[in-house]
Amino acid sequence: MRAILLSGAIALLFSLLGTRFAIVQFTKLGYGQEIREDGPTTHRTKRGTPTMGGVAIVISVVVGYFAAKLLTGDAPSATAYLLLFLLVGMAAVGFVDDFIKVFMQRNLGLRAWSKMVGQTLVAVGFGAVAIHPALENDDGITPAADQLSFIRDFGPHFLGGDGILYWLGGALLLVIFWIMVTGTSNATNLTDGLDGLLAASSAIVFAAYTIISIWQNNQRCGRPSVEIGTCYEVRDPLDMAILGAAISGACIGFLWWNASPAKIFMGDTGSLALGSVLAGFAILSHTEFLLIILGGLFVMETAAVMLQVSWFKLSRRLTGTPKRIFRMTPIHHHFELLGWEQVTVTIRFWILTGLFVAVGLGIFYAEWVATI
């Protein structure tokens, strides 16, 4: 518990001070955000606000985690290194995207295929290492399981066959990991459209995963006081709690400067990184489908975009006149165009995130109670 508190506090403090430093430096360098021309007119006043603030979040997480491990005298785990790989790797993809927006004055940043290549390399690299037998601990548990999971693993083992079946199962498992990592990183990227919206929402969801990891650590298999039927076969849950606290702390520190009116934006550097590591938490804590509930806000944002695009194309094909379900997507812009203030939309979406998390944690705990 001491390491968890240290990690969160150090990351928060470092983010609070580091983000302020980033605002000053990025402003001097002219790292200003380009604003989409078809967006709400109220956003045009934000043009030129420093971006790439996600750099401060990522560095704060890394510093917070390793400082806590150093102060407590514990060695970092393979699970933590995998999550940090996702965080830093996807941040690098986002940084290139932000760099293009700033220096080439192209609001769309990287071409879609270029961004997908970067996301794929990070996601597949993470997945391949996470299921590799070389990372098995003394109990034979790898960081990622070869089964699907909701709160516990279920269904067939993807790596349970021999020969060609083993390799086909492994390939299918990597595809699932790829969908989760790229899908969640794109979902958080879509959510990052209002001052403070993604920073606070992410802090809430990562706080939930910190709680889940603490519980899994206390109820992990192999502890003398824990019954076999109720235990969790998760590798390094304590380290996931330490890292989850660091990410929550870093997001809160960043929120101090990102709250409306934002002094800095996290950019794709931060949004892609947060989404990818969130998927990593779901995979390594064996709660893959639970992420749909805990990250319900991100699912809602993505679903709205998918519905909007699908109906636009379908209505154009059927009637010749394209139609929209929402006034604009991502859906937070829809509510802005209905006349809601940006702050109102943001706070109500924070409330929704809290409700999704409360439901997810309730289901997680209820499942454990049912196994007693």
Side-chain angles (χ1 to χ4, degrees):
M1 185 59 71
R2 179 167 167 256
I4 297 171
L5 295 175
L6 281 171
S7 179
I10 293 171
L12 189 154
L13 181 61
F14 204 90
S15 178
L16 193 63
L17 300 176
T19 303
R20 174 56 181 166
F21 177 79
I23 292 171
V24 174
Q25 297 303 314
F26 290 172
T27 300
K28 289 180 180 179
L29 294 171
Y31 291 1
Q33 174 71 46
E34 286 296 307
I35 304 298
R36 53 185 285 193
E37 294 297 330
D38 60 340
T41 55
T42 55
H43 286 223
R44 293 174 186 173
T45 58
K46 300 180 181 182
R47 188 184 304 274
T49 301
T51 187
M52 291 190 281
V55 171
I57 296 176
V58 173
I59 293 176
S60 298
V61 171
V62 174
V63 171
Y65 172 78
F66 283 108
K69 299 301 285 187
L70 181 64
L71 291 172
T72 56
D74 295 326
S77 67
T79 297
Y81 279 124
L82 282 167
L83 292 173
L84 288 171
F85 168 76
L86 274 180
L87 183 76
V88 176
M90 206 64 81
V93 176
F95 183 85
V96 174
D97 190 50
D98 289 332
F99 182 89
I100 291 174
K101 292 177 184 177
V102 170
F103 287 93
M104 296 188 179
Q105 299 296 299
R106 192 174 79 207
N107 183 51
L108 295 178
L110 277 172
R111 303 298 182 188
W113 69 268
S114 300
K115 184 184 291 187
M116 184 57 67
V117 168
Q119 291 176 300
T120 298
L121 290 174
V122 174
V124 174
F126 160 81
V129 176
I131 59 175
H132 198 281
L135 292 188
E136 289 182 353
N137 62 8
D138 295 337
D139 297 320
I141 302 175
T142 53
D146 67 340
Q147 292 176 279
L148 296 176
S149 61
F150 179 50
I151 295 173
R152 300 178 194 273
D153 297 335
F154 66 86
H157 291 268
F158 287 92
L159 303 179
D162 296 319
I164 188 65
L165 292 177
Y166 175 87
W167 292 106
L168 287 175
L172 181 57
L173 190 60
L174 289 181
V175 170
I176 293 172
F177 291 164
W178 171 77
I179 291 173
M180 286 192 65
V181 173
T182 58
T184 309
S185 63
N186 287 328
T188 50
N189 186 235
L190 290 172
T191 306
D192 186 31
L194 295 179
D195 297 350
L197 177 56
L198 180 58
S201 300
S202 296
I204 295 170
V205 179
F206 279 108
Y209 265 111
T210 301
I211 294 171
I212 287 173
S213 298
I214 291 172
W215 186 261
Q216 288 180 332
N217 180 67
N218 292 337
Q219 303 295 328
R220 69 182 183 277
C221 296
R223 297 195 69 166
S225 59
V226 180
E227 296 181 8
I228 296 298
T230 63
C231 68
Y232 299 95
E233 293 186 355
V234 176
R235 174 170 177 171
D236 311 315
L238 180 59
D239 247 20
M240 283 195 285
I242 296 171
L243 195 53
I247 298 173
S248 287
C251 287
I252 293 171
F254 180 80
L255 179 63
W256 182 269
W257 303 104
N258 183 237
S260 183
K263 300 295 188 297
I264 189 170
F265 300 137
M266 69 170 67
D268 285 11
T269 305
S271 62
L272 293 182
L274 291 174
S276 64
V277 78
L278 180 58
F281 266 82
I283 293 168
L284 301 188
S285 65
H286 302 195
T287 57
E288 292 160 345
F289 285 104
L290 185 63
L291 176 60
I292 297 174
I293 300 174
L294 294 172
L297 177 69
F298 310 137
V299 174
M300 184 181 75
E301 292 272 15
T302 305
V305 173
M306 294 174 66
L307 286 172
Q308 182 88 322
V309 173
S310 298
W311 180 243
F312 186 88
K313 293 181 178 179
L314 181 61
S315 60
R316 181 172 57 186
R317 179 176 298 179
L318 293 177
T319 67
T321 303
K323 298 179 180 178
R324 294 177 172 85
I325 301 174
F326 308 103
R327 294 194 177 188
M328 183 179 291
T329 55
I331 197 170
H332 48 259
H333 292 321
H334 169 78
F335 291 105
E336 281 189 272
L337 294 180
L338 286 179
W340 293 18
E341 295 291 335
Q342 291 186 47
V343 174
T344 302
V345 178
T346 299
I347 293 176
R348 287 177 177 172
F349 275 36
W350 289 350
I351 294 172
L352 283 176
T353 302
L355 292 174
F356 282 125
V357 163
V359 171
L361 289 177
I363 292 172
F364 178 84
Y365 181 69
E367 189 277 340
W368 180 82
V369 171
T371 61
I372 299 177

